Amino acid sequence: MQKTTYETSSTIQQGWLENTRRVPSPHYDQRPDLADISLLVIHYISLPPEQFGGGFVDDFFLGKLDPNIHPYFAEIYQIRVSAHCLIERNGRITQYVNFNERAWHAGLSCFNGREKCNDFAIGIELEGSNEQPFTAQQYEKLAELTQQIMQAYPKITPERIVGHCDISPDRKIDPGQYFDWQHYFALLNAV
Ligand SMILES: [Zn+2]
């Protein structure tokens, strides 16, 4: 059977996706070992919770969320976090942090006995929640992006792609019950 090939619209150059929306966040610092990038963490986020498309994830990752807009924003606006990338419901990808830098997305975490996963992980957020399925466009773009990341950072293998819930099981449930790992890996194999 012939493999499906996706049109690869961008490549990673010096840690940045080419031809991709870029919104630099200050919520990162230097990785202890650049050669150690070896884990991919999948998250979900929606701001306000269960609402999509408002652009508030940009504000949050930039530290510019307005606490007066929504009661939930007042709770979280001072938290300094950012993933490397966000994939919105329509499949649009935004990159906030250079992959070679340590984005602050995983928090307290442990993978295979090793803590501080941000040191060696890349974090991707899907715009979503635990109440609604993700979109076909999100899966396609996630598979394509994952392939690009694996090419640039070959220590990230399929066995080293996890959910936030896997590395912070006491605190986190994302990417949640609707994230279809089987579908994701099927697409990934087909890319
Ligand atoms: Zn998360």
Side-chain angles (χ1 to χ4, degrees):
M1 210 176 94
Q2 209 178 358
K3 274 190 161 184
T4 312
T5 49
Y6 287 95
E7 215 173 287
T8 305
S9 53
S10 58
T11 57
I12 296 170
Q13 292 294 336
Q14 314 221 321
W16 290 102
L17 289 160
E18 290 191 317
N19 309 315
T20 301
R21 183 170 181 261
R22 198 177 291 180
V23 179
S25 163
H27 297 165
Y28 71 90
D29 54 11
Q30 208 173 15
R31 293 185 188 272
D33 180 2
L34 187 54
D36 193 30
I37 300 171
S38 55
L39 186 71
L40 184 65
V41 182
I42 312 291
H43 305 257
Y44 70 50
I45 189 168
S46 58
L47 291 177
E50 305 304 329
Q51 291 181 40
F52 303 139
F56 297 114
V57 177
D58 281 3
D59 294 346
F60 185 42
F61 287 172
L62 266 57
K64 294 179 176 172
L65 196 61
D66 182 345
N68 301 310
I69 288 179
H70 189 279
Y72 184 64
F73 294 179
E75 289 176 34
I76 65 165
Y77 77 106
Q78 288 174 312
I79 301 172
R80 303 187 73 206
V81 294
S82 180
H84 289 93
C85 293
L86 168 73
I87 305 178
E88 287 170 90
R89 306 296 288 180
N90 62 6
R92 183 173 74 165
I93 298 174
T94 301
Q95 185 171 3
Y96 300 92
V97 175
N98 187 308
F99 295 122
N100 296 333
E101 304 284 3
R102 177 171 62 184
W104 303 336
H105 58 96
L108 279 177
S109 52
C110 183
F111 177 75
N112 275 359
R114 188 171 169 199
E115 296 185 338
K116 297 184 182 173
C117 294
N118 285 341
D119 287 358
F120 55 98
I122 288 173
I124 299 176
E125 296 271 2
L126 300 173
E127 189 181 27
S129 76
N130 207 34
E131 305 296 329
Q132 297 180 61
F134 297 93
T135 69
Q137 293 98 312
Q138 287 181 303
Y139 284 107
E140 280 177 27
K141 287 296 176 184
L142 176 61
E144 196 179 298
L145 175 56
T146 302
Q147 196 65 41
Q148 290 160 358
I149 288 170
M150 289 168 73
Q151 276 167 14
Y153 304 97
K155 288 182 180 173
I156 297 177
T157 57
E159 301 75 40
R160 297 180 68 90
I161 300 175
V162 297
H164 198 186
C165 57
D166 298 312
I167 58 169
S168 305
D170 300 338
R171 302 184 301 118
K172 297 291 178 181
I173 60 168
D174 59 322
Q177 60 179 337
Y178 282 107
F179 187 73
D180 188 340
W181 286 97
Q182 247 184 325
H183 180 53
Y184 169 43
F185 280 114
L187 284 176
L188 193 55
N189 288 327
V191 171

